[in-house]
């Protein structure tokens, strides 16, 4: 029995341990960030508020309905509400009414308010979608940074493994008196420097993982990691399009541009609503009321008329219309119109500024892709040349024609060239994805 329990606990521990080392893919990171981001949740609440505002605007077209019931008791000389005569004594009375009102015309402000509410809902949706786009881009950038740091760390570890072999071989040569001890000390110094690179590289991986986890609202940093994948530079024809073509297409789907454009439409509706206040307002109402008093007597029997009968006998209906004409209100209507005109002009200027900012961003992204493409190609060529030089230096070092210092410098140049290839590679990948993002293509590393 104890053996079964122990096995069960071991299996449970294995399951838990496996669950803790989950490797996140880019798609999983993006989806999780979108589903759990706190700012997105706030924007979603703003969208719900906008939907409620639309319901309020719709309610302005529907007649309101209100009911009122009141009861009272009076003693002494009082007015009987059912006979409107003064009596002495104690009276218990009750009354009730139901009133309904409807705005028939208010300068079309209700119509404009309804249109504004619809636009505001659309604007909040654009705002939310734009935030989601930004989060996707930020997560992709952070994910690529982790990959870059991990590849650099692998290079440092591989280089250290080679240096360890050289150090072992050199020690044997020193012990046999073939090479001076200074060569061994030089290689040991190189190994120590590479160990420091490994430590620094591990720290960079950890810090970049923490940054990515924070974007995902994940606090369990120790058990957070991404999938161990290598991504080649993707084939892309994005540079076949000019920055102007990419910009023109971006204007048709970018949520930040749509949001800015909708803000102009909202400002126009606000101006229409403000101007509607200069027109008269026409409203209609209908009211039903009834009352009861314990002093109301039947003239034939002299007894108090029953409650239900009094409600029927004392009821009445009133109805009518009301016209309100604005004449003077302390300049508030005119000033509101002026403020709305200023807000409209500001919204238009902001819309134009947002388009200029987008065009500038796309132009920069386009130049970045070209620049990092050349940098990546140059880094590859440099690495190839450095490796050839290193192979030649190693041959000379192995036969004693090169000292350890010069050999370590050749190896260091290879190390730097490999690190530069990794850096330019992932910078190039990200810049391609940014430019494709502005062209409307999804963010993937496949």
């Amino acid at each position: 029995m104890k053996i079964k329990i122990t096995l069960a606990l071991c299996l449970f521990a294995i399951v838990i341990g496996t669950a803790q080392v989950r490797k996140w893919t880019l798609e999983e990171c993006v989806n999780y960030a979108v589903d759990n981001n706190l700012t997105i949740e706030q924007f979603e609440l703003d969208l719900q508020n906008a939907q409620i505002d639309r319901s309020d605007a719709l309610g302005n077209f529907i007649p309101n309905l209100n009911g009122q019931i009141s009861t009272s008791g009076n003693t002494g000389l009082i007015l009987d509400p059912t006979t409107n005569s003064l009596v002495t004594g104690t009276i218990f009375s009750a009354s009730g009414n139901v009133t309904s009102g409807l705005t028939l015309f208010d300068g079309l402000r209700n119509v404009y308010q309804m249109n504004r509410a619809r636009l505001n809902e659309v604007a909040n949706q654009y705002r939310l979608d734009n935030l989601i786009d930004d989060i996707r881009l930020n997560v992709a950038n952070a994910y690529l940074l982790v990959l870059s740091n991990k590849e650099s760390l692998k290079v440092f570890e591989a280089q250290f493994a080679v240096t360890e072999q050289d150090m072992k071989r050199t020690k044997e040569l020193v012990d046999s008196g073939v090479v001076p001890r200074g060569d061994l000390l030089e290689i040991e110094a190189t190994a120590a420097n590479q160990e420091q690179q490994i430590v620094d590289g591990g720290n960079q991986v950890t810090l970049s993982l923490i940054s990515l986890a924070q974007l995902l609202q994940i606090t369990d940093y120790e058990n957070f990691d991404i999938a161990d994948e290598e991504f080649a530079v993707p084939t892309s024809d994005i540079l076949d399009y000019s920055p102007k073509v990419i910009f023109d297409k971006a204007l048709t789907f970018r949520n930040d541009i749509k949001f800015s454009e909708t803000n102009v439409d909202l400002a126009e509706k606000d101006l229409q609503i403000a101007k509607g206040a200069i027109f008269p307002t026409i409203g209609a109402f209908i009211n039903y009321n009834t009352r009861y008093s314990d002093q109301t007597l039947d003239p034939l029997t002299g007894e108090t008329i029953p409650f239900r009968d009094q409600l029927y006998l004392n009821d009445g209906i009133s109805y009518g219309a009301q016209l309100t004409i604005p004449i003077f209100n302390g300049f508030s209507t005119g000033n509101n119109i002026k403020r709305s005109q200023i807000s409209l002009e500001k919204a238009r200027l902001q819309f134009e500024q947002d388009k200029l900012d987008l065009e500038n961003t796309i132009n920069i992204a386009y130049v970045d892709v070209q620049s990092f493409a050349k940098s990546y190609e140059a880094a590859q060529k440099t690495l190839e040349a450095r490796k050839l030089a290193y192979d030649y230096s190693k041959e000379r070092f192995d036969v004693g024609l090169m000292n350890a210092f010069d050999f370590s410098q050749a190896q260091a140049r290879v190390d730097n060239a490999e690190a530069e290839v990794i850096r330019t590679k992932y910078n190039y990948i990200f810049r391609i994805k940014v430019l494709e993002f502005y062209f409307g293509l999804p963010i993937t590393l496949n």
Side-chain angles (χ1 to χ4, degrees), residues 147-157 201 419 422-423:
L147 288 177
S148 177
N149 290 333
K150 280 194 168 190
E151 280 203 24
S152 296
L153 179 59
K154 290 178 181 178
V155 170
F156 294 149
E157 291 171 342
I422 294 173
R423 186 187 70 82

Side-chain angles (χ1 to χ4, degrees), residues 210-230:
I210 290 175
S211 297
L212 177 58
Q214 289 175 340
L215 282 176
L216 272 58
Q217 309 291 338
I218 292 176
T219 57
D220 186 12
Y221 305 133
E222 294 181 357
N223 297 311
F224 176 76
D225 199 0
I226 66 171
D228 294 327
E229 303 175 87
E230 280 194 27

